[in-house]
Structure formats: structure tokens, C-alpha cells
Amino acid sequence: MKNYVGVSGSFLKKPHCIILNKKHDILPFNDILPVEKLCQKYDTSLFVFTSHNKKRPNNVTIGRLFDGRLLDVFELGLESFESLSNIKNFTVSIGIKPVLVFLGDEFETVHTLKCLKNLFIDLFHQQETDVAHLSNIEYVITFACVDNKILLRTYRITMNKMGEKNFKVDLDSMGPFADLTLRRNIIASNDLFKKACVKPKIKTIDICYNFGKKIKNIKRDIFKSKLGRVHMTSQDVNKLQTRKMKGLKKARKTRNKN
Amino acid sequence: MAVMDIIKEILEKDEQNKNIAAESTSVSKLIPPECFPRDLMVFDTNELNIPKLRGPDKEKELLSLTRDCTQILINTILSFPKEIKDGKVFVQLSGPSYNLPREKPVPVPKPLTKWQKFAQDKGLRKKKKPKSTWDDVLQKWIPTYGYRKAAAEKEKNWVLEVPQNVHPNTDMFAEKTKTKKENIAKNEYQRLRNVAASRKIKVPKVGIPPMETNLHVSQLKDAANIARISTASIGKFQPKLPEEKHLKQRKPLNRQKKRPLLNTDEEKQFNMNIAEGIVKKKPKLNISKAVNKQIYEEQSQRNKEKQEKKGKKRKNFTNNKFHSKKKPKGQQGRVGKKKNTGRKRR
């Protein structure tokens, strides 16, 4: 089960994750330091850690760091799991941004679940986009909170054109499916979370001038079109191949010399 | 008439189709879900049908709920303006963005160095130096730095004049290299000081000035202070000197910082004020001090006169110590261990 989680999870995040398969003697809730060290080594802020023991079977620990220090961790127990490879015929193209759906008002009202939602978004969401192409919307990940359990479902989207402008959405179950129970957690203090969420004010001038860094060999003309300059080595005109003629052939002696 | 009927039929059919399309794509919810089209996220805060989600129809219910939410998202995405690029339709998204914590803290701008701060206050601007300058002596262009600069310098300064205030046998070339090295060292020191200031590390003052000249009291005190602290324990276990009190470090004076002068007129006025102050200076009269001085002088005069009178009738000077009635006590002056006498035993 552990393996499936790793494989299917990493498949969804493929170009942006590293799987560490070695056995570690790490307990994130007892000592977070080795995790922090590993994260620093691979320059990642998010980590997913799986473990299995008698007390806490099928354990998945999801957490994130801020400035190399722990921000929050959630421990989740897997109750039922169906991986991506179990349900055949469907694959996802790499690097596709999923649609995230959160069902239930508990994700807004309960503080721990609100934090967990934030973490899930951080884990699955990729960069914000200003431009979208409909064919790039391929799958949905749903989180529903029922009886203190989080139901994670993944569906594939198919869109059918209805009328001139509208598209009708149809879903097929794809996997991974999981029922998760909440176990231990560490939530960031309000101050730290606020500090982590600070958005710097960026002046438009700074953006125009590339934050004071000089851009070499690129100019913009009056029509704002980009003009680049390419530097090349000087061309050796003597070696230039021109039209071959018998009369222009070099003498044998000089040819051998060269 | 037949044509009109056909047209009517077609129109009706089209309308019907449109209605079907609108019905199949429209979703009605009690509370409209919150959409974040730039993040492709939907938060549905409607209450879930929990008994249904516990029963066997759990998966179906979840799927239908998810479908509705995604449909709403797609509908909002399609309502945005479209753009055609390379034959493909793209949608220009807008709307709020979900605030996620950063991975690393916001970068802080680099603190200015001492010189940069000064230049900014004074409004100095960097002038670009030319890459090479014309030299009249050598009659050629010499680069300001880098390749062929050192060679040109050597060629130009093949002989150096010994100034009058220096011993005639000094090696001016060695002197030159020495000053150059000192300059480099000074520069490096200043650079490190800037680094320390930017990281808020306290740097001790340069404690011991050159020993050849006579030192001022304050300089000596500084030197003694630094020497006291410069042990492995930072002076914690250093025994106190007999007059330790004097070695306490003075607090820095709270001087008002002067604003740098901006233009020449202001500077001239400032200097003129100083000069006038010196010229017009009057000695201050401290009345109490003057009165005390006067009194002291009078008293001392009187004492002198008295002593002169006494000196004539002088008696034998007696010392009380030798004539006291008490017995002398031993071992009073010496504290601690008794001094061993005799041969040193090993």
C-alpha cells in the first residue's frame, strides 16, 4: 500500500518531486530534524512521509517547511486505497494542473481542517495561471469531509460541446482513491503563518527594469517588440565553401600541408 | 408558406437545442461555490447529504457533487474573454488568488555600505571613468586598469624623486609598494567592517594606537580595557587591578549628528560661523570659581603669616607613636601564611 501511495502520488506531481526509497529511521512527530535536513538537501519545502507500524498502520505524514523550519504537519491514516494503476486505461499527461474541489463546510469552519485544506492545495496546486486552454484541464481531485474522514477522489474530465459556447462536463473515476483519517498534527502558530504568508509589494518600475539587474543583449524598440543580439565568432572567409571549379582547386602540395 | 414553416421548424429546433444545452450545463446550488479560476479550485460550502455518503451510493454522490463543481468552474472559465493563438483558443483568466505560505522569507534589500550611505546623503553620483586615457609622457593611450596598465606604469615611473623631508637613501619603490599594500589592507578592513555592520556584529575599536608617540589618557584607558577583555574567558576571571574603577569604559557621548552640507554657499556660511566664533570669543567669568580662588588666596596668606609667628615660639615636636602606653602587638601587619624561614626544602 505504501508503495502505491508513493508511486501514484509522485505520478501526479511528476516533474516536481523526488522519491526517496531508502528505509529511514525517521519519526517526524518525535524528531523533525532529519526531515528538515533532507528537505534542505534537496531544496524542497513540502514532504510526504509514509510509515507503517502496529500502533499507526498505513500512516501518511504530509508537512511543509518555511525557511527550512517546520510550519505544519498532518498525520493521516489510510483506510482504503486504490491507486492510479489499479484502474486501467487512464493516464495523466505530465505536469498537468489538476482542478481541486473541496466539498463540505467543515473545510471552512474547523480550524485544523482549514489548515489541512491549505496544505493540500499547496501540495497539489501548481503555479497560478493567467491563461488557460480547455484541453489542459484533464482531471479533478476532490476532498470531501464525512464523519471526520477525508475522502480523496480523483476523476478524469471529458468535455462535450453543447450548443455554441457551452461544454458539458463528464467525469470518470481514475484513481488514486483514498479514505483518510486524521491522526496527530502540528499546526503553525498564527504569527508564524502570517509571517509566512507575507506578500512583498512589488513596484511596476522594478518589474520593468528587471529588479535592477541589467539585461544584456536584449532591447525593445518603439513598438515594444523584442530585439535580441547574438554574438558569434568571426567567420573564416578562407574556408568558406564556394562553387567548386577545377580552376580554383588548390595545388596538391598546399593541400597536403593543410 | 412551406419554406416559412421549414424555417420556423429549424428555428424552434435550434432554440430547443439551446435550452437543452443550457439545462445540461447550468448547475443550481443553495450557496454558490467559491471559485478560484486562476488556481483551478472550487470550494463548495453547501451542507453534504451525509446519510447518502455513508450508504452504498457514496461513490455516485461524490461523483455527481464533483461534476457539478467542475461544471461551475468550467462555466466561469468560459465566461472570460478568449484569445486565439496559433489556431488554439486560450482563455484569459482573472480573479482572486488563494494565499499560500511562502517557501522562503521575503528577501531583504542589501544594506548600504558606509560610503554608499554618505554618497546618497550628499547626492554624489558615480562618474564613469574612461577605459583608457592619453598619456603625454609616453605619448600613447594607457588603460585605466587591467591588461598593460602595470607595464605602462613601470615604463612611465622608471625613476622616482626622493622628497626633501625623507632620508636620501630611502628606496622610494619599496615605499610605493608598501603604501599600496597598506591601502589594500585598509580597503579590506573597511569591507569587512561593512559586512559586520550589515550582519549587526559588534566590532571592537582598534585598541592600541602606535606606541611611538605619547598616548593620551583616554587612549591608555582604552588599551587597558581591551587588554583586560582579551583573555579566553573574555575577562571573566581576570583579577582586579588596584585602581580598577578608572578602567570602566566610558559611555559614548550623545552627539548630535550633523547634516552633511549640500552646497558650497551653505558650507561657506558654516565655516564663516566657526571663524567668527573664534574671533569674537570672550573669556567666560565663573563667579563662584573666582570668589573661591580669592578666598583661598587670602586664607593661604593668613596661614603663612600665622606660621611665621608660630615658628618663633616653636616647641619640641613629639611623635605619639613612640610614646603610647599600649603594648605593641605582633603579627598585625602581616596577613595570611607565615613566611617560611630556613633552607628551601624540595
Side-chain angles (χ1 to χ4, degrees), chain A residues 9-251:
Chain A
S10 68
F11 192 82
L12 295 182
K13 289 221 29 127
K14 203 155 200 186
H16 305 296
C17 72
I18 307 159
I19 310 174
L20 305 176
N21 279 327
K22 264 188 189 172
K23 283 184 181 177
H24 293 285
D25 190 20
I26 295 172
L27 299 168
F29 277 85
N30 291 358
D31 186 16
I32 196 72
L33 268 174
V35 178
E36 279 175 2
K37 246 182 197 175
L38 277 173
C39 283
Q40 197 189 14
K41 187 181 171 188
Y42 294 104
D43 193 24
T44 55
S45 68
L46 284 152
F47 65 88
V48 178
F49 179 84
T50 53
S51 61
H52 179 75
N53 53 33
K54 200 176 170 188
K55 196 175 179 186
R56 295 188 185 85
N58 303 322
N59 219 12
V60 182
T61 315
I62 305 172
R64 64 184 153 186
L65 311 178
F66 169 65
D67 196 15
R69 292 290 180 81
L70 185 78
L71 191 70
D72 44 11
V73 195
F74 283 88
E75 201 175 42
L76 305 165
L78 272 180
E79 292 210 333
S80 65
F81 184 75
E82 232 170 311
S83 83
L84 184 66
S85 53
N86 275 17
I87 302 160
K88 278 174 188 173
N89 300 329
F90 287 136
T91 47
V92 182
S93 18
I94 289 167
I96 285 283
K97 198 173 159 170
V99 175
L100 300 179
V101 175
F102 287 85
L103 300 171
D105 56 345
E106 278 105 327
F107 282 116
E108 288 296 325
T109 50
V110 183
H111 184 62
T112 48
L113 285 173
K114 206 176 170 184
C115 293
L116 185 62
K117 182 178 87 172
N118 197 301
L119 183 58
F120 273 136
I121 290 167
D122 211 351
L123 187 66
F124 287 108
H125 134 295
Q126 285 154 19
Q127 278 186 329
E128 259 178 23
T129 46
D130 291 328
V131 181
H133 183 51
L134 278 190
S135 69
N136 284 351
I137 299 170
E138 277 192 11
Y139 67 104
V140 203
I141 305 176
T142 319
F143 302 90
C145 186
V146 182
D147 299 339
N148 269 333
K149 259 190 216 170
I150 290 150
L151 312 179
L152 185 148
R153 300 289 118 103
T154 318
Y155 304 107
R156 192 188 161 80
I157 301 173
T158 44
M159 277 184 270
N160 302 315
K161 204 164 189 185
M162 299 288 279
E164 285 167 16
K165 286 180 181 177
N166 297 326
F167 283 88
K168 199 198 167 193
V169 175
D170 281 319
L171 300 180
D172 303 305
S173 45
M174 181 178 83
F177 284 8
D179 291 359
L180 305 161
T181 49
L182 273 172
R183 285 175 186 166
R184 293 177 287 179
N185 59 32
I186 299 170
I187 298 171
S189 67
N190 273 345
D191 291 347
L192 185 66
F193 198 79
K194 233 181 197 177
K195 202 178 160 192
C197 282
V198 166
K199 276 192 176 176
K201 280 177 189 169
I202 299 169
K203 289 174 192 167
T204 46
I205 294 171
D206 286 346
I207 296 167
C208 292
Y209 287 96
N210 196 29
F211 300 95
K213 274 176 198 166
K214 210 175 175 183
I215 307 171
K216 275 185 173 179
N217 304 330
I218 289 173
K219 270 185 185 174
R220 293 208 181 247
D221 63 358
I222 318 155
F223 309 109
K224 289 186 179 177
S225 50
K226 221 180 200 178
L227 300 174
R229 180 188 288 169
V230 183
H231 291 274
M232 301 210 2
T233 51
S234 56
Q235 196 178 15
D236 191 0
V237 186
N238 292 334
K239 281 182 182 172
L240 196 72
Q241 184 65 57
T242 49
R243 199 174 164 190
K244 284 176 182 173
M245 282 197 292
K246 250 188 186 176
L248 290 173
K249 251 187 186 174
K250 281 177 189 171

Side-chain angles (χ1 to χ4, degrees), chain A residues 128 130 132-133 147 153 169, chain B residues 54 59 67 89 91 93 97:
Chain A
E128 259 178 23
D130 291 328
H133 183 51
D147 299 339
R153 300 289 118 103
V169 175
Chain B
R54 278 178 195 151
E59 296 300 323
R67 196 212 77 85
V89 183
V91 185
L93 298 176
S97 59

